[in-house]
Amino acid sequence: KAQASMTSNDASDAFCHVDILLGNLSSTVLSPKERNAVSLRLAATIAEQNGVPPKSIMSLGHHPGTVDLFEGSHLVSWATIGWFQASKAPGIKTMVASLVEDCGTPGIMVRVFDNPTVHSEIVKAVTSVLGVTLSSGNTHGAIVGQLRVLSTNVVRATAADGTATEPVLFPPWQTEDPVAAFWGWLFVFLTCCCPLMLLRGLWLCCARLCGHGKDDAPAEDSEEAEFFGH
């Protein structure tokens, strides 16, 4: 499942982190030439799947058309709980870290990277660059098992440094996390109900005050009539 966070739709939040955790890929075994080739191909694949130009995909250093490759245990400040748990699972893993420019609809991007077809395209991008084919039996030392996508992470980032310093969950109608959706909808429900309950309480108080005033008026009139009668 893709994990997602988001802040306000401010112009400074034009970038999104798009991270992919690949299982059974050892980035440390890749030569510099292979790392560069894998980086370029993955950036092109991420761009293609999102329908954006390749230059819109950047490394964390804002180099267009490339992504960063880290060991799967690499810690980043914007990692969500789901990503953190997946990165701690046993086995060799590689983190593909990238920035996507003009990230106006992160909710859609979350669904894109939850798609198994997109996962297959990502795996195919790596294997094609490394010349790995199951039919011919070609292998590579960097691939130590069945290459697969373990987790994805879509997080809003600041345009200044590409770091999501204040992550906030997506609205409950966009997040793919059921726990986050539950608390999100609960917050929306309470936010809507509390003012209504307050208004109802004020209306009841006003109604009671007006009711007491009307009830007291006849009693006062009868006392005045009795006084003038005597």
Side-chain angles (χ1 to χ4, degrees):
K1 291 285 186 178
Q3 307 296 321
S5 300
M6 119 181 229
T7 59
S8 63
N9 294 326
D10 187 77
S12 63
D13 294 320
F15 289 89
C16 274
H17 287 284
V18 173
D19 306 320
I20 302 167
L21 190 63
L22 290 173
N24 295 318
L25 176 64
S26 176
S27 60
T28 57
V29 177
L30 298 174
S31 67
K33 183 178 179 179
E34 289 173 332
R35 287 179 68 93
N36 184 61
V38 170
S39 172
L40 292 172
R41 181 63 64 86
L42 283 173
T45 302
I46 292 172
E48 180 181 359
Q49 298 304 318
N50 280 287
V52 298
K55 65 179 182 180
S56 295
I57 310 302
M58 306 179 182
S59 65
L60 299 184
H62 292 258
H63 300 293
T66 64
V67 299
D68 289 311
L69 301 177
F70 301 113
E71 292 186 32
S73 58
H74 182 74
L75 297 179
V76 291
S77 59
W78 58 87
T80 59
I81 295 176
W83 176 275
F84 180 80
Q85 291 175 341
S87 66
K88 293 298 181 182
I92 295 176
K93 299 172 290 296
T94 291
M95 174 185 181
V96 179
S98 67
L99 289 172
V100 178
E101 192 177 17
D102 297 328
C103 180
T105 53
I108 295 177
M109 201 175 297
V110 170
R111 289 187 284 274
V112 167
F113 286 99
D114 263 342
N115 191 333
T117 303
V118 176
H119 293 184
S120 298
E121 291 300 318
I122 292 169
V123 169
K124 189 186 300 182
V126 176
T127 55
S128 62
V129 170
L130 299 180
V132 176
T133 55
L134 296 178
S135 57
S136 61
N138 293 337
T139 60
H140 192 282
I143 299 179
V144 297
Q146 182 182 0
L147 187 62
R148 59 194 181 98
V149 175
L150 299 178
S151 183
T152 57
N153 189 46
V154 180
V155 184
R156 287 274 194 183
T158 61
D161 57 7
T163 301
T165 56
E166 298 178 1
V168 182
L169 289 175
F170 279 125
W173 53 87
Q174 290 185 355
T175 182
E176 299 293 324
D177 187 341
V179 177
F182 170 79
W183 288 110
W185 281 116
L186 180 62
F187 177 79
V188 171
F189 175 79
L190 293 177
T191 301
C192 294
C193 288
C194 288
L196 293 176
M197 294 177 66
L198 179 61
L199 290 174
R200 182 176 181 274
L202 291 174
W203 181 82
L204 290 175
C205 289
C206 292
R208 288 177 181 175
L209 290 175
C210 293
H212 284 306
K214 291 179 180 179
D215 292 339
D216 293 339
E220 293 176 358
D221 292 343
S222 63
E223 290 177 1
E224 290 178 0
E226 184 179 356
F227 176 79
F228 284 114
H230 287 290

